[in-house]
Amino acid sequence: MSAPNLLRWVRIAVSAMLFALLTGGLTSYGSTLPALASWVERIQFMPAVLLFSLSTVIVWVLVTLVFGRIYCSTVCPLGTFQDIFARLPRLGRVSPRYHYHYSRPLTLCRNLSLGLAFAVMVLGVSALISVLDPFGLYSRLCASVLKPLWGMALNLFREPGVVVGAATFAGVMTAVVTLSVIAGLAFRNGRTFCNSICPVGTTLGYVSRWSIFHIDIDTDKCIQCRECEYVCKASCIDLISHVVDGSRCVGCFDCLPVCPNDAIHYTPTRHTLSDPMMRKVGDPLAGSAAGMADTHAGATAPDQFKKNEQ
């Protein structure tokens, strides 16, 4: 297995394991899985902020400064939830209408969401905080929908004595509608929620602009096939300027193994053209076409004028 493929599959394995542990713990009626899920919850970014767990917040900021937004592609349960629905229409031979394409960042929307999250945390409006918190959104789905369903299944087939907790109609509908909208966005456009609405994604996105490791395009090798753009669920690969928007890249590594010419890498370096298109010249006439021609021919302007007259 190639290094790009290995990197991608390690990311998928880690995210799947944490997602399964958390989902199992939040829906289980036993004691083992909830204990494991509580550990996964302790390393979530937004709960750490709300509980003033500075050590967890600082660790994730440092990890993001080094590796980019790998939190969003491995630890965040809502990120994995979106990846599942984003993958459904893209299994096997993918129709061109399901290809991803570069889109400009919705900076205003991201900043408004981040500002709103900060305001509701300061004011202590818990209802709004839970709507903006990606972990809170997914845990509400598990508590209000999945756990009661699992309890009813146990009563029917295995353990009739299980007491199913009651969930309010409003809570169930809020969870179903919210997660359905997010799943629909992921199905069509990938990580739209993460890069436009989620305050955690915006916060870590601003940090990841300065990350040491990042996705970089080798412009000497790029053949403009756009295969990397077609699989970029964050819609952050701009092949016009050959730039990857590090603030929106979620570190999924899906773009690495699809490049047919090994032109895209996860690296601490930034590629420059081996044969620069713009060169510094000493001749003040070099900026004009005539000046360039004279410079290459080794002729002065008067000599060239005489030659033209003849």
Side-chain angles (χ1 to χ4, degrees), residues 238-277:
D238 181 5
L239 286 179
I240 301 298
S241 57
H242 288 89
V243 171
V244 179
D245 184 354
S247 72
R248 290 187 292 156
C249 175
V250 294
C252 66
F253 309 128
D254 288 350
C255 59
L256 300 183
V258 300
C259 181
N261 209 39
D262 192 33
I264 189 164
H265 305 94
Y266 181 58
T267 173
T269 61
R270 296 191 183 276
H271 183 76
T272 57
L273 286 170
S274 58
D275 186 20
M277 298 175 67

PDB file of all heavy atoms in Angstrom, residues 238-277:
ATOM      1  N   ASP A 238      -8.164  24.867  -5.060  1.00  0.00           N
ATOM      2  CA  ASP A 238      -8.306  25.818  -6.161  1.00  0.00           C
ATOM      3  C   ASP A 238      -7.220  25.530  -7.188  1.00  0.00           C
ATOM      4  O   ASP A 238      -6.064  25.899  -7.001  1.00  0.00           O
ATOM      5  CB  ASP A 238      -8.184  27.245  -5.631  1.00  0.00           C
ATOM      6  CG  ASP A 238      -8.346  28.290  -6.721  1.00  0.00           C
ATOM      7  OD1 ASP A 238      -8.648  27.910  -7.871  1.00  0.00           O
ATOM      8  OD2 ASP A 238      -8.161  29.488  -6.429  1.00  0.00           O
ATOM      9  N   LEU A 239      -7.600  24.873  -8.293  1.00  0.00           N
ATOM     10  CA  LEU A 239      -6.610  24.501  -9.299  1.00  0.00           C
ATOM     11  C   LEU A 239      -6.327  25.621 -10.289  1.00  0.00           C
ATOM     12  O   LEU A 239      -5.462  25.469 -11.155  1.00  0.00           O
ATOM     13  CB  LEU A 239      -7.060  23.249 -10.044  1.00  0.00           C
ATOM     14  CG  LEU A 239      -6.937  21.955  -9.229  1.00  0.00           C
ATOM     15  CD1 LEU A 239      -7.428  20.768 -10.024  1.00  0.00           C
ATOM     16  CD2 LEU A 239      -5.505  21.737  -8.768  1.00  0.00           C
ATOM     17  N   ILE A 240      -7.035  26.739 -10.193  1.00  0.00           N
ATOM     18  CA  ILE A 240      -6.685  27.894 -11.015  1.00  0.00           C
ATOM     19  C   ILE A 240      -5.388  28.515 -10.502  1.00  0.00           C
ATOM     20  O   ILE A 240      -4.475  28.827 -11.267  1.00  0.00           O
ATOM     21  CB  ILE A 240      -7.813  28.945 -11.009  1.00  0.00           C
ATOM     22  CG1 ILE A 240      -9.117  28.322 -11.532  1.00  0.00           C
ATOM     23  CG2 ILE A 240      -7.419  30.162 -11.836  1.00  0.00           C
ATOM     24  CD1 ILE A 240      -9.028  27.831 -12.950  1.00  0.00           C
ATOM     25  N   SER A 241      -5.309  28.661  -9.198  1.00  0.00           N
ATOM     26  CA  SER A 241      -4.105  29.226  -8.589  1.00  0.00           C
ATOM     27  C   SER A 241      -3.219  28.162  -7.950  1.00  0.00           C
ATOM     28  O   SER A 241      -2.172  28.473  -7.398  1.00  0.00           O
ATOM     29  CB  SER A 241      -4.491  30.265  -7.533  1.00  0.00           C
ATOM     30  OG  SER A 241      -5.333  29.682  -6.548  1.00  0.00           O
ATOM     31  N   HIS A 242      -3.643  26.883  -8.008  1.00  0.00           N
ATOM     32  CA  HIS A 242      -2.892  25.771  -7.397  1.00  0.00           C
ATOM     33  C   HIS A 242      -2.655  26.012  -5.908  1.00  0.00           C
ATOM     34  O   HIS A 242      -1.538  25.849  -5.404  1.00  0.00           O
ATOM     35  CB  HIS A 242      -1.560  25.559  -8.125  1.00  0.00           C
ATOM     36  CG  HIS A 242      -1.709  24.971  -9.479  1.00  0.00           C
ATOM     37  ND1 HIS A 242      -1.877  25.736 -10.607  1.00  0.00           N
ATOM     38  CD2 HIS A 242      -1.747  23.671  -9.896  1.00  0.00           C
ATOM     39  CE1 HIS A 242      -1.998  24.954 -11.665  1.00  0.00           C
ATOM     40  NE2 HIS A 242      -1.929  23.702 -11.271  1.00  0.00           N
ATOM     41  N   VAL A 243      -3.719  26.387  -5.217  1.00  0.00           N
ATOM     42  CA  VAL A 243      -3.638  26.659  -3.788  1.00  0.00           C
ATOM     43  C   VAL A 243      -4.710  25.843  -3.070  1.00  0.00           C
ATOM     44  O   VAL A 243      -5.844  25.727  -3.540  1.00  0.00           O
ATOM     45  CB  VAL A 243      -3.841  28.164  -3.497  1.00  0.00           C
ATOM     46  CG1 VAL A 243      -3.981  28.414  -2.008  1.00  0.00           C
ATOM     47  CG2 VAL A 243      -2.681  28.967  -4.056  1.00  0.00           C
ATOM     48  N   VAL A 244      -4.339  25.276  -1.933  1.00  0.00           N
ATOM     49  CA  VAL A 244      -5.285  24.564  -1.080  1.00  0.00           C
ATOM     50  C   VAL A 244      -5.573  25.442   0.130  1.00  0.00           C
ATOM     51  O   VAL A 244      -4.650  25.855   0.836  1.00  0.00           O
ATOM     52  CB  VAL A 244      -4.727  23.202  -0.628  1.00  0.00           C
ATOM     53  CG1 VAL A 244      -5.716  22.496   0.289  1.00  0.00           C
ATOM     54  CG2 VAL A 244      -4.403  22.328  -1.832  1.00  0.00           C
ATOM     55  N   ASP A 245      -6.843  25.748   0.354  1.00  0.00           N
ATOM     56  CA  ASP A 245      -7.237  26.588   1.482  1.00  0.00           C
ATOM     57  C   ASP A 245      -7.088  25.796   2.771  1.00  0.00           C
ATOM     58  O   ASP A 245      -7.935  24.972   3.117  1.00  0.00           O
ATOM     59  CB  ASP A 245      -8.687  27.042   1.289  1.00  0.00           C
ATOM     60  CG  ASP A 245      -9.150  28.013   2.378  1.00  0.00           C
ATOM     61  OD1 ASP A 245      -8.392  28.238   3.337  1.00  0.00           O
ATOM     62  OD2 ASP A 245     -10.276  28.542   2.255  1.00  0.00           O
ATOM     63  N   GLY A 246      -5.993  26.042   3.484  1.00  0.00           N
ATOM     64  CA  GLY A 246      -5.706  25.292   4.701  1.00  0.00           C
ATOM     65  C   GLY A 246      -6.717  25.504   5.804  1.00  0.00           C
ATOM     66  O   GLY A 246      -6.880  24.652   6.671  1.00  0.00           O
ATOM     67  N   SER A 247      -7.425  26.632   5.785  1.00  0.00           N
ATOM     68  CA  SER A 247      -8.406  26.893   6.833  1.00  0.00           C
ATOM     69  C   SER A 247      -9.650  26.024   6.671  1.00  0.00           C
ATOM     70  O   SER A 247     -10.390  25.810   7.634  1.00  0.00           O
ATOM     71  CB  SER A 247      -8.815  28.369   6.826  1.00  0.00           C
ATOM     72  OG  SER A 247      -9.621  28.686   5.707  1.00  0.00           O
ATOM     73  N   ARG A 248      -9.890  25.499   5.471  1.00  0.00           N
ATOM     74  CA  ARG A 248     -11.062  24.650   5.249  1.00  0.00           C
ATOM     75  C   ARG A 248     -10.707  23.184   5.045  1.00  0.00           C
ATOM     76  O   ARG A 248     -11.592  22.326   5.114  1.00  0.00           O
ATOM     77  CB  ARG A 248     -11.850  25.162   4.035  1.00  0.00           C
ATOM     78  CG  ARG A 248     -12.554  26.481   4.281  1.00  0.00           C
ATOM     79  CD  ARG A 248     -13.458  26.846   3.115  1.00  0.00           C
ATOM     80  NE  ARG A 248     -12.695  27.161   1.916  1.00  0.00           N
ATOM     81  CZ  ARG A 248     -13.180  27.071   0.678  1.00  0.00           C
ATOM     82  NH1 ARG A 248     -14.409  26.630   0.480  1.00  0.00           N
ATOM     83  NH2 ARG A 248     -12.431  27.409  -0.358  1.00  0.00           N
ATOM     84  N   CYS A 249      -9.457  22.876   4.767  1.00  0.00           N
ATOM     85  CA  CYS A 249      -9.047  21.485   4.597  1.00  0.00           C
ATOM     86  C   CYS A 249      -9.208  20.733   5.916  1.00  0.00           C
ATOM     87  O   CYS A 249      -8.652  21.137   6.940  1.00  0.00           O
ATOM     88  CB  CYS A 249      -7.590  21.423   4.132  1.00  0.00           C
ATOM     89  SG  CYS A 249      -6.925  19.742   4.009  1.00  0.00           S
ATOM     90  N   VAL A 250      -9.968  19.633   5.895  1.00  0.00           N
ATOM     91  CA  VAL A 250     -10.233  18.898   7.127  1.00  0.00           C
ATOM     92  C   VAL A 250      -9.269  17.728   7.327  1.00  0.00           C
ATOM     93  O   VAL A 250      -9.451  16.918   8.232  1.00  0.00           O
ATOM     94  CB  VAL A 250     -11.697  18.385   7.157  1.00  0.00           C
ATOM     95  CG1 VAL A 250     -12.661  19.549   7.220  1.00  0.00           C
ATOM     96  CG2 VAL A 250     -11.994  17.492   5.960  1.00  0.00           C
ATOM     97  N   GLY A 251      -8.258  17.636   6.479  1.00  0.00           N
ATOM     98  CA  GLY A 251      -7.259  16.585   6.661  1.00  0.00           C
ATOM     99  C   GLY A 251      -7.799  15.185   6.460  1.00  0.00           C
ATOM    100  O   GLY A 251      -7.426  14.248   7.179  1.00  0.00           O
ATOM    101  N   CYS A 252      -8.647  14.992   5.449  1.00  0.00           N
ATOM    102  CA  CYS A 252      -9.190  13.653   5.181  1.00  0.00           C
ATOM    103  C   CYS A 252      -8.239  12.816   4.326  1.00  0.00           C
ATOM    104  O   CYS A 252      -8.360  11.586   4.279  1.00  0.00           O
ATOM    105  CB  CYS A 252     -10.551  13.755   4.509  1.00  0.00           C
ATOM    106  SG  CYS A 252     -10.504  14.468   2.840  1.00  0.00           S
ATOM    107  N   PHE A 253      -7.342  13.476   3.606  1.00  0.00           N
ATOM    108  CA  PHE A 253      -6.340  12.833   2.755  1.00  0.00           C
ATOM    109  C   PHE A 253      -6.940  12.073   1.569  1.00  0.00           C
ATOM    110  O   PHE A 253      -6.256  11.251   0.953  1.00  0.00           O
ATOM    111  CB  PHE A 253      -5.437  11.888   3.565  1.00  0.00           C
ATOM    112  CG  PHE A 253      -4.852  12.516   4.790  1.00  0.00           C
ATOM    113  CD1 PHE A 253      -4.978  11.910   6.032  1.00  0.00           C
ATOM    114  CD2 PHE A 253      -4.190  13.730   4.716  1.00  0.00           C
ATOM    115  CE1 PHE A 253      -4.440  12.499   7.170  1.00  0.00           C
ATOM    116  CE2 PHE A 253      -3.648  14.324   5.844  1.00  0.00           C
ATOM    117  CZ  PHE A 253      -3.769  13.710   7.076  1.00  0.00           C
ATOM    118  N   ASP A 254      -8.197  12.344   1.232  1.00  0.00           N
ATOM    119  CA  ASP A 254      -8.808  11.678   0.084  1.00  0.00           C
ATOM    120  C   ASP A 254      -8.164  12.086  -1.232  1.00  0.00           C
ATOM    121  O   ASP A 254      -8.200  11.334  -2.213  1.00  0.00           O
ATOM    122  CB  ASP A 254     -10.307  12.004   0.021  1.00  0.00           C
ATOM    123  CG  ASP A 254     -11.102  11.300   1.104  1.00  0.00           C
ATOM    124  OD1 ASP A 254     -10.530  10.422   1.773  1.00  0.00           O
ATOM    125  OD2 ASP A 254     -12.291  11.635   1.283  1.00  0.00           O
ATOM    126  N   CYS A 255      -7.583  13.283  -1.256  1.00  0.00           N
ATOM    127  CA  CYS A 255      -7.010  13.789  -2.509  1.00  0.00           C
ATOM    128  C   CYS A 255      -5.660  13.168  -2.846  1.00  0.00           C
ATOM    129  O   CYS A 255      -5.244  13.169  -4.009  1.00  0.00           O
ATOM    130  CB  CYS A 255      -6.866  15.314  -2.443  1.00  0.00           C
ATOM    131  SG  CYS A 255      -5.807  15.888  -1.084  1.00  0.00           S
ATOM    132  N   LEU A 256      -4.955  12.628  -1.855  1.00  0.00           N
ATOM    133  CA  LEU A 256      -3.582  12.166  -2.079  1.00  0.00           C
ATOM    134  C   LEU A 256      -3.483  10.955  -3.008  1.00  0.00           C
ATOM    135  O   LEU A 256      -2.690  10.967  -3.952  1.00  0.00           O
ATOM    136  CB  LEU A 256      -2.911  11.857  -0.735  1.00  0.00           C
ATOM    137  CG  LEU A 256      -2.809  13.017   0.262  1.00  0.00           C
ATOM    138  CD1 LEU A 256      -2.057  12.564   1.511  1.00  0.00           C
ATOM    139  CD2 LEU A 256      -2.130  14.231  -0.359  1.00  0.00           C
ATOM    140  N   PRO A 257      -4.259   9.881  -2.785  1.00  0.00           N
ATOM    141  CA  PRO A 257      -4.058   8.692  -3.628  1.00  0.00           C
ATOM    142  C   PRO A 257      -4.665   8.779  -5.028  1.00  0.00           C
ATOM    143  O   PRO A 257      -4.362   7.928  -5.858  1.00  0.00           O
ATOM    144  CB  PRO A 257      -4.742   7.579  -2.814  1.00  0.00           C
ATOM    145  CG  PRO A 257      -5.762   8.267  -2.004  1.00  0.00           C
ATOM    146  CD  PRO A 257      -5.222   9.622  -1.699  1.00  0.00           C
ATOM    147  N   VAL A 258      -5.507   9.791  -5.302  1.00  0.00           N
ATOM    148  CA  VAL A 258      -6.173   9.828  -6.607  1.00  0.00           C
ATOM    149  C   VAL A 258      -5.350  10.542  -7.677  1.00  0.00           C
ATOM    150  O   VAL A 258      -5.660  10.434  -8.862  1.00  0.00           O
ATOM    151  CB  VAL A 258      -7.561  10.510  -6.504  1.00  0.00           C
ATOM    152  CG1 VAL A 258      -8.455   9.747  -5.541  1.00  0.00           C
ATOM    153  CG2 VAL A 258      -7.440  11.965  -6.092  1.00  0.00           C
ATOM    154  N   CYS A 259      -4.312  11.260  -7.278  1.00  0.00           N
ATOM    155  CA  CYS A 259      -3.508  12.001  -8.258  1.00  0.00           C
ATOM    156  C   CYS A 259      -2.703  11.027  -9.118  1.00  0.00           C
ATOM    157  O   CYS A 259      -1.903  10.239  -8.599  1.00  0.00           O
ATOM    158  CB  CYS A 259      -2.572  12.973  -7.562  1.00  0.00           C
ATOM    159  SG  CYS A 259      -1.562  13.941  -8.715  1.00  0.00           S
ATOM    160  N   PRO A 260      -2.859  11.052 -10.445  1.00  0.00           N
ATOM    161  CA  PRO A 260      -2.150  10.107 -11.313  1.00  0.00           C
ATOM    162  C   PRO A 260      -0.683  10.459 -11.536  1.00  0.00           C
ATOM    163  O   PRO A 260       0.068   9.648 -12.076  1.00  0.00           O
ATOM    164  CB  PRO A 260      -2.929  10.189 -12.628  1.00  0.00           C
ATOM    165  CG  PRO A 260      -3.451  11.588 -12.662  1.00  0.00           C
ATOM    166  CD  PRO A 260      -3.767  11.936 -11.232  1.00  0.00           C
ATOM    167  N   ASN A 261      -0.283  11.671 -11.121  1.00  0.00           N
ATOM    168  CA  ASN A 261       1.082  12.102 -11.402  1.00  0.00           C
ATOM    169  C   ASN A 261       1.859  12.481 -10.141  1.00  0.00           C
ATOM    170  O   ASN A 261       2.878  13.161 -10.220  1.00  0.00           O
ATOM    171  CB  ASN A 261       1.063  13.294 -12.377  1.00  0.00           C
ATOM    172  CG  ASN A 261       2.303  13.346 -13.244  1.00  0.00           C
ATOM    173  OD1 ASN A 261       2.797  12.308 -13.686  1.00  0.00           O
ATOM    174  ND2 ASN A 261       2.813  14.543 -13.494  1.00  0.00           N
ATOM    175  N   ASP A 262       1.359  12.040  -8.979  1.00  0.00           N
ATOM    176  CA  ASP A 262       2.033  12.299  -7.704  1.00  0.00           C
ATOM    177  C   ASP A 262       2.333  13.791  -7.522  1.00  0.00           C
ATOM    178  O   ASP A 262       3.432  14.174  -7.126  1.00  0.00           O
ATOM    179  CB  ASP A 262       3.332  11.489  -7.631  1.00  0.00           C
ATOM    180  CG  ASP A 262       3.929  11.493  -6.222  1.00  0.00           C
ATOM    181  OD1 ASP A 262       3.149  11.537  -5.257  1.00  0.00           O
ATOM    182  OD2 ASP A 262       5.170  11.482  -6.109  1.00  0.00           O
ATOM    183  N   ALA A 263       1.322  14.625  -7.774  1.00  0.00           N
ATOM    184  CA  ALA A 263       1.537  16.076  -7.733  1.00  0.00           C
ATOM    185  C   ALA A 263       0.994  16.736  -6.476  1.00  0.00           C
ATOM    186  O   ALA A 263       1.160  17.938  -6.304  1.00  0.00           O
ATOM    187  CB  ALA A 263       0.886  16.729  -8.957  1.00  0.00           C
ATOM    188  N   ILE A 264       0.362  15.965  -5.601  1.00  0.00           N
ATOM    189  CA  ILE A 264      -0.212  16.561  -4.396  1.00  0.00           C
ATOM    190  C   ILE A 264       0.269  15.771  -3.182  1.00  0.00           C
ATOM    191  O   ILE A 264       0.282  14.542  -3.189  1.00  0.00           O
ATOM    192  CB  ILE A 264      -1.755  16.607  -4.485  1.00  0.00           C
ATOM    193  CG1 ILE A 264      -2.344  17.428  -3.346  1.00  0.00           C
ATOM    194  CG2 ILE A 264      -2.373  15.226  -4.565  1.00  0.00           C
ATOM    195  CD1 ILE A 264      -3.787  17.823  -3.579  1.00  0.00           C
ATOM    196  N   HIS A 265       0.710  16.497  -2.152  1.00  0.00           N
ATOM    197  CA  HIS A 265       1.366  15.855  -1.008  1.00  0.00           C
ATOM    198  C   HIS A 265       0.935  16.501   0.302  1.00  0.00           C
ATOM    199  O   HIS A 265       0.529  17.664   0.332  1.00  0.00           O
ATOM    200  CB  HIS A 265       2.892  15.951  -1.131  1.00  0.00           C
ATOM    201  CG  HIS A 265       3.446  15.416  -2.411  1.00  0.00           C
ATOM    202  ND1 HIS A 265       3.685  16.216  -3.504  1.00  0.00           N
ATOM    203  CD2 HIS A 265       3.779  14.145  -2.776  1.00  0.00           C
ATOM    204  CE1 HIS A 265       4.164  15.484  -4.489  1.00  0.00           C
ATOM    205  NE2 HIS A 265       4.226  14.223  -4.084  1.00  0.00           N
ATOM    206  N   TYR A 266       1.063  15.718   1.366  1.00  0.00           N
ATOM    207  CA  TYR A 266       0.890  16.212   2.732  1.00  0.00           C
ATOM    208  C   TYR A 266       2.296  16.419   3.265  1.00  0.00           C
ATOM    209  O   TYR A 266       3.012  15.464   3.552  1.00  0.00           O
ATOM    210  CB  TYR A 266       0.126  15.179   3.562  1.00  0.00           C
ATOM    211  CG  TYR A 266      -0.141  15.582   4.988  1.00  0.00           C
ATOM    212  CD1 TYR A 266      -0.844  16.744   5.297  1.00  0.00           C
ATOM    213  CD2 TYR A 266       0.277  14.767   6.038  1.00  0.00           C
ATOM    214  CE1 TYR A 266      -1.098  17.090   6.613  1.00  0.00           C
ATOM    215  CE2 TYR A 266       0.020  15.093   7.351  1.00  0.00           C
ATOM    216  CZ  TYR A 266      -0.674  16.257   7.639  1.00  0.00           C
ATOM    217  OH  TYR A 266      -0.937  16.595   8.949  1.00  0.00           O
ATOM    218  N   THR A 267       2.721  17.663   3.385  1.00  0.00           N
ATOM    219  CA  THR A 267       4.137  17.956   3.571  1.00  0.00           C
ATOM    220  C   THR A 267       4.344  19.239   4.374  1.00  0.00           C
ATOM    221  O   THR A 267       3.462  20.110   4.389  1.00  0.00           O
ATOM    222  CB  THR A 267       4.808  18.107   2.187  1.00  0.00           C
ATOM    223  OG1 THR A 267       6.152  18.542   2.332  1.00  0.00           O
ATOM    224  CG2 THR A 267       4.061  19.121   1.328  1.00  0.00           C
ATOM    225  N   PRO A 268       5.503  19.400   5.005  1.00  0.00           N
ATOM    226  CA  PRO A 268       5.803  20.668   5.693  1.00  0.00           C
ATOM    227  C   PRO A 268       6.410  21.713   4.771  1.00  0.00           C
ATOM    228  O   PRO A 268       6.619  22.856   5.181  1.00  0.00           O
ATOM    229  CB  PRO A 268       6.807  20.236   6.771  1.00  0.00           C
ATOM    230  CG  PRO A 268       7.510  19.062   6.171  1.00  0.00           C
ATOM    231  CD  PRO A 268       6.461  18.338   5.355  1.00  0.00           C
ATOM    232  N   THR A 269       6.684  21.358   3.530  1.00  0.00           N
ATOM    233  CA  THR A 269       7.315  22.295   2.602  1.00  0.00           C
ATOM    234  C   THR A 269       6.269  22.898   1.666  1.00  0.00           C
ATOM    235  O   THR A 269       5.165  22.383   1.523  1.00  0.00           O
ATOM    236  CB  THR A 269       8.394  21.599   1.758  1.00  0.00           C
ATOM    237  OG1 THR A 269       7.779  20.555   0.979  1.00  0.00           O
ATOM    238  CG2 THR A 269       9.454  20.998   2.660  1.00  0.00           C
ATOM    239  N   ARG A 270       6.645  23.980   1.007  1.00  0.00           N
ATOM    240  CA  ARG A 270       5.782  24.604   0.004  1.00  0.00           C
ATOM    241  C   ARG A 270       6.528  24.616  -1.318  1.00  0.00           C
ATOM    242  O   ARG A 270       7.657  25.117  -1.399  1.00  0.00           O
ATOM    243  CB  ARG A 270       5.391  26.019   0.427  1.00  0.00           C
ATOM    244  CG  ARG A 270       4.563  26.030   1.699  1.00  0.00           C
ATOM    245  CD  ARG A 270       3.940  27.390   1.981  1.00  0.00           C
ATOM    246  NE  ARG A 270       3.210  27.366   3.236  1.00  0.00           N
ATOM    247  CZ  ARG A 270       1.957  26.948   3.366  1.00  0.00           C
ATOM    248  NH1 ARG A 270       1.310  26.526   2.311  1.00  0.00           N
ATOM    249  NH2 ARG A 270       1.362  26.957   4.547  1.00  0.00           N
ATOM    250  N   HIS A 271       5.893  24.079  -2.339  1.00  0.00           N
ATOM    251  CA  HIS A 271       6.556  23.923  -3.625  1.00  0.00           C
ATOM    252  C   HIS A 271       6.630  25.243  -4.385  1.00  0.00           C
ATOM    253  O   HIS A 271       5.716  26.050  -4.351  1.00  0.00           O
ATOM    254  CB  HIS A 271       5.819  22.903  -4.482  1.00  0.00           C
ATOM    255  CG  HIS A 271       6.489  22.635  -5.793  1.00  0.00           C
ATOM    256  ND1 HIS A 271       7.617  21.855  -5.903  1.00  0.00           N
ATOM    257  CD2 HIS A 271       6.217  23.075  -7.045  1.00  0.00           C
ATOM    258  CE1 HIS A 271       7.992  21.811  -7.157  1.00  0.00           C
ATOM    259  NE2 HIS A 271       7.158  22.545  -7.878  1.00  0.00           N
ATOM    260  N   THR A 272       7.763  25.445  -5.072  1.00  0.00           N
ATOM    261  CA  THR A 272       7.918  26.580  -5.990  1.00  0.00           C
ATOM    262  C   THR A 272       8.296  26.026  -7.356  1.00  0.00           C
ATOM    263  O   THR A 272       8.882  24.949  -7.471  1.00  0.00           O
ATOM    264  CB  THR A 272       9.017  27.544  -5.508  1.00  0.00           C
ATOM    265  OG1 THR A 272      10.244  26.825  -5.358  1.00  0.00           O
ATOM    266  CG2 THR A 272       8.642  28.173  -4.176  1.00  0.00           C
ATOM    267  N   LEU A 273       7.955  26.765  -8.384  1.00  0.00           N
ATOM    268  CA  LEU A 273       8.262  26.320  -9.738  1.00  0.00           C
ATOM    269  C   LEU A 273       9.763  26.146  -9.928  1.00  0.00           C
ATOM    270  O   LEU A 273      10.554  27.007  -9.542  1.00  0.00           O
ATOM    271  CB  LEU A 273       7.744  27.334 -10.756  1.00  0.00           C
ATOM    272  CG  LEU A 273       6.230  27.365 -10.987  1.00  0.00           C
ATOM    273  CD1 LEU A 273       5.873  28.578 -11.817  1.00  0.00           C
ATOM    274  CD2 LEU A 273       5.759  26.105 -11.664  1.00  0.00           C
ATOM    275  N   SER A 274      10.158  25.039 -10.520  1.00  0.00           N
ATOM    276  CA  SER A 274      11.577  24.828 -10.791  1.00  0.00           C
ATOM    277  C   SER A 274      12.076  25.786 -11.874  1.00  0.00           C
ATOM    278  O   SER A 274      13.249  26.132 -11.930  1.00  0.00           O
ATOM    279  CB  SER A 274      11.822  23.379 -11.235  1.00  0.00           C
ATOM    280  OG  SER A 274      11.048  23.074 -12.389  1.00  0.00           O
ATOM    281  N   ASP A 275      11.164  26.222 -12.756  1.00  0.00           N
ATOM    282  CA  ASP A 275      11.503  27.194 -13.793  1.00  0.00           C
ATOM    283  C   ASP A 275      10.544  28.375 -13.637  1.00  0.00           C
ATOM    284  O   ASP A 275       9.474  28.400 -14.245  1.00  0.00           O
ATOM    285  CB  ASP A 275      11.356  26.568 -15.178  1.00  0.00           C
ATOM    286  CG  ASP A 275      11.847  27.522 -16.290  1.00  0.00           C
ATOM    287  OD1 ASP A 275      12.616  28.442 -15.953  1.00  0.00           O
ATOM    288  OD2 ASP A 275      11.451  27.325 -17.445  1.00  0.00           O
ATOM    289  N   PRO A 276      10.877  29.348 -12.801  1.00  0.00           N
ATOM    290  CA  PRO A 276       9.944  30.435 -12.491  1.00  0.00           C
ATOM    291  C   PRO A 276       9.468  31.158 -13.733  1.00  0.00           C
ATOM    292  O   PRO A 276      10.225  31.417 -14.660  1.00  0.00           O
ATOM    293  CB  PRO A 276      10.782  31.365 -11.596  1.00  0.00           C
ATOM    294  CG  PRO A 276      11.856  30.505 -11.041  1.00  0.00           C
ATOM    295  CD  PRO A 276      12.171  29.508 -12.118  1.00  0.00           C
ATOM    296  N   MET A 277       8.186  31.494 -13.734  1.00  0.00           N
ATOM    297  CA  MET A 277       7.597  32.195 -14.866  1.00  0.00           C
ATOM    298  C   MET A 277       7.974  33.678 -14.872  1.00  0.00           C
ATOM    299  O   MET A 277       8.061  34.295 -15.919  1.00  0.00           O
ATOM    300  CB  MET A 277       6.073  32.049 -14.831  1.00  0.00           C
ATOM    301  CG  MET A 277       5.608  30.612 -14.954  1.00  0.00           C
ATOM    302  SD  MET A 277       3.835  30.442 -14.763  1.00  0.00           S
ATOM    303  CE  MET A 277       3.278  31.308 -16.236  1.00  0.00           C
TER     304      MET A 277
END
